[in-house]
Every structure is written in C-alpha cells, then in structure tokens.
C-alpha cells in the first residue's frame, strides 16, 4: 500500500502566516518541509493544540535524531523540516511551528486508519540490487528515492527523463513510458540498509511514495564472481544459484555499468533444478557468441509485487572472448586480429600484452584511434572501421614478445573484452634418443609464472585452450620440478616406453620443440635370448642323461620273471690261455625264463 503525503498551504494572512494540511497513515510517518529558513542562532519550538502542549523548545541542533518520535532539523537547502514517525491517532491535531524572530506557521495533521504495508527488500553485501517503483498513473511526474534515516533530506532523482543518470553510489532511470523509477545499487554495502521512500511529486504540495525496508545480508554462499571464456561463434553455459522460489533474472551491464535485460534470442536455454526448496540452480546458455556478447553479466533472484519489483543480483560473470592462438617462429612477424562491436568505431582501441589498464599495461602496448595507424619500434596498429576490426603487427619476434594479449576499447576505462595467445617457437630444437626403461629429464624455459606446460601434440597451437594444455600429460611417470629463480622448470619421465616417442612442446608461450625417440633395447633382447637357449639346452641335456642312465640299468639287471618282458638274452663265455679247463653252462629247462637263448664260446688271445 502507498502512503499519501499531502501539503495544502493556505495563506491566511498575505505574506505572513502559512497553514498546512498534512495527511498520514496510522503506523507510517510524515515529513514536512515548513518552508521556513533554519536559523542556527534562533530557537525553534512546536506546540500542539488545543492543550498548547509544548513538544519542542529552544531547538538548535540541525541534525535528524533517529531515536525521537518527532524531530525538527535542517535539510540541504537550509529549510526547517519536521519528521514524525510511527503515527497514531494521538498525533492528529493542530500544531504551531515557530522560529524566534519570525511569525509562526500552523500544521493540521490528519492520521487515517488503514493497513500499512512495508515492503521487505533483501540484497547481499557486494552484490547488485535493482529496485523498480511503479507509478503508472503519474508517468511524466518527477520521481525520487530517499532514505528516512536522514529525514529524506537528500533525495536522489535522475534529473532527466528516459536516461540513466548516476547520483552518488546509485544510478537512476525515470521511465516516462511505463511510469517506473528504476534504482540500481551497483555494489551494496552494510551502510545501505534502512528504510527508503520511493516516490513521485504529484504537485508542488503533494507526494505519493512507496515505503520499503532494505536488508543487506552478509551471506557469501550466493555471492560469486566468475570468469567464462568462449570462442567467437561458439556457445557458452553459465550456471548460477539463487535462494528460494524466486524468478531468475539474467542481465548484462551496459557501458554505464547498469544491468540491462538481454535479448531472449541470445539466450537459448534457461533450465532450473532444485534438490531443496531453499536453493535453485539455473543454467543459462548463450549461442553463436559474438563480440557484442563480451562483458559483465549478472544472475539473481527477482521478486514482484503490485507496485514494486526488486532484483537481487548475486552472481557476477565476466565473459571474455578468445581468438585462436597465434603461433610464429622466433624472428618472424605476428599479426593479432581484434574484431569489435561497431558501436565503438569512434572509440580508441588498444592492444596490450597483459590487460590494458594503468596497473597491468606492458611496455609492448599501443592505442589506435579511428581510421589511423599507430606505429612504435616493432608494433603497428591499424583500425578498419568498415570491417570493425583493428590489427596489431609485431615484427622481429623474440622470446619476450610471447604471452597473452588483450584487445580493449577505451570508454571511461579500458574495457578488456577479447584475448589471444602469442606463442613464439624458438629456433633451437631439442632431440633426445633413449631406450625403453630409461629415465629422462627435460629442461623448459618460461617467462610467465602462471604458465608452465609440457604438451604432446603435432602442432604447438594445439597446446593452448583457455590457459590449459589441450593434451596435458597426466601420468604418474611424469613429474615437474620448478626453479623459479632461473626461469626454468624440469620435466622428469621415468620408465620410458616406446609409445612415449613423439613431438613435445616444452614451455608455455615461449615454446621449445622436443623430439623424443624411445627405442627398444636390443642388447637386453640378445641376453634374454641367450639365456633362453641355454635353459633349453640344459633341459635337453638333462633329459638325455636320464634316458641313458635308464638304458644302462636295463642291461645290468636282467629280468627274473616273465612279467619283466625280456624277449631275448645272449650269454658269452671267454677263456684265457691260462685257463686249464673249459667253462660250461647248463640250463635246466625249468629254470629258463627266456623265449630264446644263445650261448657261444670264444677264445681270447692276449
């Protein structure tokens, strides 16, 4: 509900006495500009009729007292103001307002009964807050916002219509087409908390305003700052978390740092999910990314009421654009291309190694203006406004030229929106030949503490994708050791394998090409082969000896029973010359266990 704040001034005595009628609501407050000049040396007093009860006397302090129910103080224009809070029926009546040395004025206060609505507005410290106060029946009337803690003595108003204007730490926009006053707090602070009036001046004596209570929370859970990068023509997804069952609001800061709703044609998807009622997670996808999409986005929760809408912005997203890396050899020339939004064609543009700002700006930086060429020792900038592209050319590349380059447009400050990597391949290559099972250590130079990589790829340009290597090695056999003071880091590879062979790019922006060839160890193969042959030969010899021993045993011990299976036996007797008698052997038929037997007698001559 709105509070009606009305002044009716009747001149009872021409040029002498003023009589004011003021209407307020029970539970609300009124602020009255008496029109009388505040005199620091004069006493102020107030009396209430009909009992002539003295309320204020000898009042000289000119500041609002937030603890008092009724305060008399001076505003920025030097006028005497009266502020009465927490109105009730006992406050209704006629008042006499006096300043020593001047004629008194009179105020008739009418307190109406009714339900007073105090809108509750919440935001987060460090985040943004957009408040939209609607006055559709007073579209063209001047609008304002003020804080009650200072008696609304300092009213913030746009001053102009249908245009964003800064006023202190807030920006305001008086939308006369919709009858809406938009107030944007760029960065909420604890001091911003309090009770505000969002009003409209209906006439010189009549104002209508909405009263709201702003609560600034200290909850880092929802307040985040993120950086996303996307290639031109690509797609990017942004995730944000909002509290409660609110509508999601996604907006983009303009050049005045005002968060404006973006075209729905750019947002291809807004999906929300919630495992708990307290939190909701949304994913916003932007397709076909162009130079106009670079910048700062905010994501937050939107709450709507009859006459008031407020949006608490909690997640800040910096969207940067990426151009493909520029890869050149030492001593060559490099061309860095920076497309830009045509609305900036008349603005100065800069190409900088490191971000284009006073603090970070590198010596290898330059600025070009519309349709001009700027040239330093080795850097030349050209701006083609027809194509909306400015180009930087660097000649005689050295290791010091390598790095991350930013394209920027200069507005009130440098707007860094696009970057690329300049990679300089050193002419000196490293060729290494090792054998399987060996270890190897490779030393890599670097000029940037944040960038150290060892990448296996056919081309160096494949090793850069938004700060990280595209094919970064992830293997327990690979380890890094850093010697920051010398500008060198070492890559150690243990237990080399044949598949480790290939081309590696060592460094970050300053690249050394490494050819690693891992061969099979043939000496080891030969040793293993000989060992196998010897084992096989030893085994064969052992088997042969066992078989020979078994045959010998078979001739020495003849079988004695038929079951032993002897089919043939031969016995030979020999005589020496000294033998005096012949030897004779007789077999009994029953004792012979052979199927065939033969006995021969021979004479052996010595």
């Amino acid at each position: 509900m709105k509070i009606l704040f009305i002044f009716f001034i009747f001149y009872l005595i021409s040029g002498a006495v003023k009589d004011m009628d003021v209407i307020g609501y029970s539970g609300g407050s009124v602020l009255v500009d008496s029109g009388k000049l505040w005199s620091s040396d004069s006493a102020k007093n107030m009396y209430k009729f009909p009992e002539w009860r003295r309320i204020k006397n000898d009042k000289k302090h000119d500041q609002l007292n937030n603890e008092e129910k009724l305060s008399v103080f001076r505003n920025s224009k030097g006028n005497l103001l009266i502020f009465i809070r927490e109105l009730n029926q006992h406050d209704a009546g006629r008042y006499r307002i006096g300043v020593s040395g001047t004629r008194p004025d009179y105020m008739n206060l009418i307190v109406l009964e009714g339900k007073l609505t105090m809108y509750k507005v919440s935001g987060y410290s460090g985040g943004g807050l957009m408040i939209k106060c609607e006055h559709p029946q007073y579209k063209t009337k001047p609008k304002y916002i003020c804080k009650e803690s200072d008696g609304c003595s300092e009213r913030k108003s746009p001053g102009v219509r249908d245009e964003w204007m800064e006023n202190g730490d807030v920006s305001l926009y008086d939308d006369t087409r919709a009858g809406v006053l938009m107030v944007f707090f760029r960065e909420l602070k604890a001091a911003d908390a309090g009770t505000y009036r969002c009003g409209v001046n209906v006439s010189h004596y009549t104002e209508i305003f909405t009263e709201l209570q702003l609560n600034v929370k200290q909850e880092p859970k929802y307040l985040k700052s993120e950086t996303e990068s996307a290639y031109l023509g690509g797609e990017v997804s942004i995730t944000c978390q909002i509290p409660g069952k609110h509508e999601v609001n996604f907006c983009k800061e303009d050049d005045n740092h005002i968060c404006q709703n973006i075209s729905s044609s750019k947002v291809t998807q807004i999906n929300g999910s919630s495992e708990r009622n307290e939190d909701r997670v949304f994913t916003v996808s932007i397709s076909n990314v162009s130079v106009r999409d670079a910048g700062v986005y905010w994501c937050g929760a939107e709450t709507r009421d009859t006459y008031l809408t407020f949006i608490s912005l909690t997640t800040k997203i910096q969207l940067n654009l990426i151009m493909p890396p520029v890869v050149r050899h030492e001593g060559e020339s490099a061309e860095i291309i920076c497309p830009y939004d045509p609305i900036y064609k008349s603005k100065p543009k800069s190409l900088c190694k490191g971000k284009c700002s006073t603090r970070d700006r590198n010596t290898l930086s330059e600025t070009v203006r519309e349709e001009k060429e700027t040239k330093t020792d080795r850097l030349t900038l050209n701006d083609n406004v027809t194509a909306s592209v400015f180009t930087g050319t660097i000649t005689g590349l050295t290791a010091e030229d390598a790095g991350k380059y930013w394209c920027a447009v200069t507005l009130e400050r440098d707007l860094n929106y696009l970057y690329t990597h300049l990679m300089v391949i050193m002419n000196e290559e490293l060729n290494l030949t090792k054998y399987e099972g060996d270890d190897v250590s490779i030393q890599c130079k670097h000029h940037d503490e944040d960038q150290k990589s060892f990448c296996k790829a056919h081309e160096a340009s494949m090793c850069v994708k938004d700060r990280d290597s595209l094919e970064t090695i992830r293997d327990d056999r690979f380890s890094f050791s850093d010697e920051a003071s010398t500008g060198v880091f070492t890559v150690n590879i243990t237990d080399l394998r044949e598949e480790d062979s290939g081309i590696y790019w060592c460094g970050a922006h300053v690249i050394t090409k490494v050819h690693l060839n891992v061969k099979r160890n043939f000496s080891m193969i030969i040793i293993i082969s000989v060992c196998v042959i010897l084992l096989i030969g030893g085994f064969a010899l052992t088997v042969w000896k066992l078989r020979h021993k078994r045959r010998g045993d078979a001739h020495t011990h003849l079988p004695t029973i038929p079951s032993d299976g002897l089919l043939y036996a031969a016995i030979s007797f020999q005589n020496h010359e000294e033998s005096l008698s012949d030897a004779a052997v007789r077999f009994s038929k029953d004792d012979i266990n052979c199927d065939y037997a033969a006995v021969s007698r021979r004479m052996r001559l010595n």
Side-chain angles (χ1 to χ4, degrees):
M1 181 177 178
K2 295 189 176 182
I3 302 173
L4 190 61
F5 178 33
I6 304 177
F7 290 174
F8 290 105
I9 300 179
F10 300 93
Y11 289 89
L12 304 181
I13 302 176
S14 178
V17 178
K18 288 185 293 185
D19 204 327
M20 301 175 289
D21 284 347
V22 178
I23 299 176
Y25 284 89
S26 179
S29 56
V30 293
L31 177 66
V32 181
D33 185 347
S34 68
K36 301 179 75 67
L37 291 177
W38 181 278
S39 178
S40 300
D41 297 329
S42 300
K44 291 83 184 171
N45 53 71
M46 284 188 66
Y47 293 88
K48 186 174 185 296
F49 295 107
E51 64 270 32
W52 276 86
R53 179 167 56 91
R54 187 170 62 189
I55 301 174
K56 292 288 179 183
N57 188 42
D58 198 26
K59 170 72 176 176
K60 294 183 179 181
H61 184 62
D62 61 357
Q63 300 296 320
L64 174 67
N65 188 337
N66 288 316
E67 302 299 324
E68 294 180 337
K69 179 179 176 61
L70 187 148
S71 295
V72 177
F73 62 99
R74 183 180 66 178
N75 67 4
S76 58
K77 297 179 181 180
N79 288 351
L80 185 151
L81 271 68
I82 303 159
F83 183 64
I84 307 175
R85 68 179 74 247
E86 299 176 2
L87 290 173
N88 55 54
Q89 290 299 326
H90 295 290
D91 298 321
R94 183 171 176 80
Y95 292 81
R96 178 183 184 274
I97 306 161
V99 176
S100 297
T102 64
R103 290 182 178 274
D105 292 334
Y106 295 90
M107 177 180 74
N108 299 309
L109 176 60
I110 301 171
V111 179
L112 301 178
E113 290 293 336
K115 184 179 180 182
L116 180 64
T117 300
M118 173 77 76
Y119 288 102
K120 303 292 184 180
V121 178
S122 297
Y124 295 87
S125 179
L129 178 67
M130 176 74 79
I131 299 175
K132 298 180 180 180
C133 302
E134 300 181 19
H135 305 281
Q137 66 273 42
Y138 302 109
K139 294 181 178 180
T140 60
K141 299 295 182 179
K143 303 170 183 67
Y144 68 91
I145 188 169
C146 63
K147 196 173 184 180
E148 283 193 358
S149 60
D150 59 8
C152 275
S153 59
E154 295 185 10
R155 300 188 179 191
K156 298 180 184 294
S157 60
V160 296
R161 298 177 180 179
D162 302 316
E163 184 178 341
W164 280 102
M165 296 296 293
E166 287 190 20
N167 191 322
D169 56 354
V170 300
S171 297
L172 301 103
Y173 187 96
D174 185 359
D175 185 354
T176 58
R177 289 167 295 183
V180 175
L181 175 66
M182 291 184 284
V183 183
F184 184 62
F185 290 81
R186 293 183 291 275
E187 185 176 351
L188 278 178
K189 304 179 293 295
D192 294 324
T195 303
Y196 289 81
R197 292 181 177 181
C198 194
V200 55
N201 294 316
V202 177
S203 68
H204 185 67
Y205 306 116
T206 307
E207 298 180 356
I208 295 178
F209 58 84
T210 300
E211 197 168 40
L212 56 95
Q213 179 70 43
L214 173 58
N215 179 27
V216 179
K217 299 180 180 180
Q218 302 286 338
E219 293 186 30
K221 174 182 178 182
Y222 299 109
L223 192 63
K224 297 178 182 178
S225 181
E226 302 174 352
T227 299
E228 297 286 346
S229 299
Y231 284 91
L232 285 173
E235 183 172 327
V236 63
S237 295
I238 299 170
T239 300
C240 57
Q241 181 179 0
I242 63 173
K245 296 181 179 180
H246 299 278
E247 293 294 326
V248 65
N249 185 277
F250 191 69
C251 57
K252 182 177 183 291
E253 280 191 10
D254 60 15
D255 295 340
N256 296 316
H257 313 296
I258 309 301
C259 208
Q260 305 275 22
N261 291 333
I262 62 175
S263 171
S264 59
S265 62
K266 294 298 297 182
V267 179
T268 57
Q269 190 175 12
I270 299 183
N271 290 329
S273 62
S274 177
E275 296 181 358
R276 300 178 303 168
N277 291 332
E278 303 88 47
D279 300 330
R280 299 178 69 189
V281 178
F282 285 86
T283 300
V284 181
S285 298
I286 303 176
S287 61
N288 193 23
V289 175
S290 69
V291 291
R292 294 186 177 184
D293 297 320
V296 176
Y297 292 82
W298 283 90
C299 183
E302 179 175 324
T303 302
R304 294 185 180 183
D305 210 317
T306 307
Y307 296 107
L308 181 72
T309 299
F310 70 93
I311 304 164
S312 178
L313 303 174
T314 53
T315 303
K316 181 180 180 180
I317 307 102
Q318 173 68 54
L319 178 59
N320 298 321
L321 303 183
I322 316 172
M323 291 292 285
V326 179
V327 183
R328 295 292 183 270
H329 283 82
E330 183 182 12
E332 294 181 345
S333 297
E335 188 177 78
I336 299 175
I337 299 174
C338 299
Y340 59 84
D341 192 331
I343 64 174
Y344 299 131
K345 67 179 182 180
S346 61
K347 301 293 184 181
K349 294 100 183 171
S350 300
L351 176 67
C352 312
K353 185 183 178 186
K355 284 197 172 182
C356 297
S357 64
T358 304
R359 182 180 61 184
D360 301 329
R361 198 179 181 104
N362 188 275
T363 53
L364 189 62
S365 305
E366 193 51 70
T367 301
V368 66
R369 296 184 180 274
E370 182 181 2
E371 291 290 9
K372 290 183 180 179
E373 178 180 283
T374 303
K375 187 173 184 180
T376 58
D377 185 25
R378 294 185 300 115
L379 174 61
T380 303
L381 290 187
N382 284 284
D383 185 11
N384 185 343
V385 296
T386 304
S388 298
V389 171
F390 73 95
T391 306
T393 304
I394 307 172
T395 59
L397 289 173
T398 66
E400 287 71 23
D401 298 330
K404 188 175 183 178
Y405 283 78
W406 283 88
C407 305
V409 174
T410 303
L411 304 174
E412 293 180 359
R413 56 183 176 83
D414 287 324
L415 174 63
N416 298 275
Y417 67 95
L418 182 148
Y419 68 87
T420 187
H421 295 274
L422 174 57
M423 303 167 65
V424 178
I425 302 174
M426 306 309 292
N427 293 331
E428 184 179 355
E429 298 180 357
L430 185 61
N431 294 281
L432 299 173
T433 301
K434 295 290 180 179
Y435 291 96
E436 285 187 322
D438 287 350
D439 299 339
V440 67
S441 294
I442 304 171
Q443 288 191 331
C444 309
K445 296 180 180 180
H446 68 88
H447 294 268
D448 190 338
E449 289 298 322
D450 296 331
Q451 294 281 352
K452 302 180 185 72
S453 64
F454 188 70
C455 173
K456 184 179 182 182
H458 294 294
E459 300 292 339
S461 59
M462 297 174 63
C463 289
V464 175
K465 185 178 181 182
D466 193 19
R467 300 182 182 178
D468 297 325
S469 296
L470 185 64
E471 295 182 35
T472 302
I473 307 298
R474 291 181 176 87
D475 194 313
D476 292 339
R477 298 181 299 114
F478 290 75
S479 62
F480 291 79
S481 59
D482 189 12
E483 301 173 18
S485 60
T486 61
V488 172
F489 69 95
T490 303
V491 180
N492 302 297
I493 313 175
T494 60
D495 189 22
L496 285 170
R497 303 167 186 171
E498 189 176 14
E499 58 265 26
D500 294 329
S501 298
I503 298 175
Y504 292 83
W505 304 94
C506 181
H509 292 113
V510 179
I511 305 296
T512 300
K513 189 176 183 179
V514 180
H515 296 269
L516 178 59
N517 184 20
V518 181
K519 296 182 178 181
R520 291 185 177 181
N521 198 331
F522 289 102
S523 60
M524 184 62 69
I525 294 174
I526 293 173
I527 292 172
I528 294 173
S529 300
V530 170
C531 291
V532 171
I533 292 172
L534 289 175
L535 286 172
I536 294 174
F539 178 76
L541 181 60
T542 302
V543 172
W544 181 82
K545 285 183 177 182
L546 289 173
R547 288 181 179 178
H548 182 72
K549 185 175 184 300
R550 288 176 181 174
R551 287 176 183 175
D553 293 342
H555 286 287
T556 304
H557 305 284
L558 293 176
T560 58
I561 59 176
S563 62
D564 289 338
L566 180 64
L567 299 179
Y568 176 81
I571 303 174
S572 175
F573 296 93
Q574 299 178 0
N575 278 348
H576 273 266
E577 291 179 349
E578 297 86 359
S579 179
L580 299 177
S581 62
D582 294 334
V585 178
R586 294 181 177 85
F587 292 95
S588 171
K589 186 177 181 180
D590 295 336
D591 296 331
I592 298 174
N593 296 319
C594 297
D595 293 336
Y596 174 77
V599 178
S600 82
R601 179 178 179 185
R602 295 179 184 177
M603 178 65 71
R604 182 177 180 182
L605 300 177
N606 294 328

